[in-house]
Amino acid sequence: MHDFCFTIPYGLILVCGGVIGYASKGSTASLAGGVGTGFALILAGFLSLQAFHKRKNSYFALILETACAATLTWVMGQRYMQTSKIMPAGVVAGISALLTGFYLYKIATGGNNFPPKTE
């Protein structure tokens, strides 16, 4: 599975979550964190997709995805520990931890592996 398949949808979910958090509670931290991290993940997914079209790897995108997911895991994990609310902090921390592991695996295995072209 390629990283952009998870990164772009997750970035869109984070953007929507940040906007919803701001609209419902007036939380600028939710807006800044959700929209900022979401757009960073969407950008990384787009860079990875462009590299995939060229049959190459974008290590910058992989590092950006890993850094965003690891930061989200830590921040939302801390938030979950403070509030003990599974929604949204626990869910976001869990998904981000899973994606961090996936991105670390992609980095360790050399990114997207392309099969040789057949003619």
Side-chain angles (χ1 to χ4, degrees):
M1 185 59 90
H2 302 291
D3 53 325
F4 56 83
C5 296
F6 296 119
T7 305
I8 294 172
Y10 189 52
L12 291 171
I13 290 169
L14 289 174
V15 169
C16 292
V19 170
I20 290 169
Y22 179 73
S24 67
K25 306 248 185 213
S27 172
T28 55
S30 291
L31 182 65
V35 172
T37 307
F39 279 141
L41 284 172
I42 292 169
L43 172 67
F46 177 75
L47 292 174
S48 180
L49 179 61
Q50 294 303 313
F52 177 77
H53 285 305
K54 297 175 185 172
R55 299 183 60 82
K56 296 184 179 189
N57 288 308
S58 174
Y59 291 104
F60 173 74
L62 274 173
I63 291 169
L64 181 61
E65 291 163 346
T66 306
C68 288
T71 302
L72 266 177
T73 301
W74 187 78
V75 169
M76 295 309 274
Q78 293 294 315
R79 180 78 174 152
Y80 173 72
M81 297 299 276
Q82 290 173 352
T83 63
S84 297
K85 292 184 178 180
I86 195 72
M87 286 296 286
V91 172
V92 173
I95 293 170
S96 296
L98 185 67
L99 285 175
T100 301
F102 174 70
Y103 296 139
L104 289 173
Y105 170 77
K106 292 299 270 187
I107 290 172
T109 59
N112 294 322
N113 297 313
F114 301 101
K117 285 189 174 182
T118 58
E119 295 190 30

